[in-house]
Amino acid sequence: MNDSESSLDIPEQEPCAFCDYLSGVRPFTVLYRDDLIAVLVTREQRGIGHLLVLPVRHYPTLLESESDERHAMMDTLAWAAAAIDAAFERPGIAVWQNNGTAAHQAVPHLHFHIAGTLSGGGTDFGDVPELTVEQTDQIAAQILAAIRIAPDLGSTPR
């Protein structure tokens, strides 16, 4: 399904922040990346070890994804959950994804959020401080120190 076939209202953002992060135009912590999928450490930590899993190819919602991307995203989400568990030993892990402005999608590039739960449970959907890239680099280092296997089952993370 392409954009024109969907009834979803997509947020507008030019240029796409995630594409800028992936291209290096804007600094951001990239925990892992291959030809299909990237894992970013978000600067808005709404949970412990909050990561974003997204396709490298730009498209706005799950409706435009292709089979190989969906499979790679699911494998990478499972890897990210294991990484968060290994690094932070949280009692729960939350995964969420929004399609369209009515579902509170803010960036028009498909992405999944995954985070360890907070001390009181759940995640924080209110205002959270924006971390520096140096701080998110530290989160990435903590995750990578805890788990060395990349999502493609055996390679070294990039």
Side-chain angles (χ1 to χ4, degrees):
M1 176 175 276
N2 63 40
D3 292 334
S4 63
E5 295 175 23
S6 170
S7 63
L8 301 179
D9 290 325
I10 305 302
E12 293 184 26
Q13 184 183 73
E14 283 293 328
C16 172
F18 292 163
C19 290
D20 279 356
Y21 302 150
L22 293 173
S23 69
V25 169
R26 293 169 58 184
F28 215 80
T29 302
V30 178
L31 180 67
Y32 173 83
R33 181 181 177 158
D34 63 23
D35 293 340
L36 291 177
I37 304 299
V39 180
L40 310 178
V41 181
T42 182
R43 293 179 66 185
E44 295 177 348
Q45 290 285 299
R46 298 188 178 285
I48 307 300
H50 184 174
L51 305 175
L52 301 172
V53 175
L54 59 142
V56 171
R57 181 174 71 90
H58 177 87
Y59 52 93
T61 73
L62 193 58
L63 300 177
E64 294 83 27
S65 64
E66 295 179 359
S67 179
D68 58 340
E69 292 163 326
R70 289 189 300 273
H71 289 270
M73 277 188 277
M74 186 55 69
D75 288 345
T76 305
L77 282 165
W79 173 84
I84 291 167
D85 185 47
F88 303 107
E89 299 179 345
R90 304 309 306 155
I93 296 173
V95 178
W96 67 97
Q97 195 273 323
N98 307 312
N99 294 281
T101 54
H104 303 288
Q105 181 181 9
V107 179
H109 188 127
L110 175 66
H111 60 286
F112 287 79
H113 297 260
I114 183 164
T117 55
L118 299 169
S119 297
T123 54
D124 188 348
F125 285 99
D127 290 331
V128 297
E130 185 172 294
L131 302 182
T132 66
V133 173
E134 292 78 20
Q135 290 171 309
T136 56
D137 285 349
Q138 290 173 354
I139 293 168
Q142 187 173 353
I143 291 170
L144 291 175
I147 187 167
R148 294 301 304 169
I149 297 176
D152 59 350
L153 305 176
S155 73
T156 305
R158 297 178 199 185

